[in-house]
Amino acid sequence: GSVIKLIDSYNGTSLQTFTGHLNSKQLPLEASFSPDSQFVISGSSDGRIHIWNSENGQKVCVLNGDHKGPVQCVQFNPKYMMMASACSVMSFWLPSIDDEV
């Protein structure tokens, strides 16, 4: 469905629910944490990447990587401070620093 649940691995209780992404094709969409566990990231069947605050479940942003199909895989590489997302093609996301004060 279009719901991602954060489950406590020790007792199985639901800690948080993340909504607002599309999964109209009922595909297995992978969700992952940012390296600091502050954010949950998931792909969507509309080709976009959705990011939520892991503590309060609020959506932080939606990224458009020009994916033509459903984004089923999103992973961070903390060593290189990079995120990768994939459908049939892969996109690499690099952080940028805004120079404006």
Side-chain angles (χ1 to χ4, degrees), residues 18-74:
F18 307 100
T19 59
H21 65 292
L22 295 177
N23 191 5
S24 57
K25 299 180 181 184
Q26 301 299 307
L27 297 169
L29 301 177
E30 184 178 280
S32 63
F33 284 101
S34 61
D36 60 5
S37 298
Q38 288 187 19
F39 303 99
V40 171
I41 300 99
S42 176
S44 182
S45 63
D46 64 0
R48 299 187 302 168
I49 294 97
H50 297 257
I51 302 175
W52 297 268
N53 179 299
S54 60
E55 287 290 320
N56 61 26
Q58 294 294 313
K59 189 178 289 189
V60 176
C61 69
V62 178
L63 304 174
N64 185 359
D66 294 325
H67 287 289
K68 303 291 186 233
V71 178
Q72 291 184 263
C73 181
V74 180

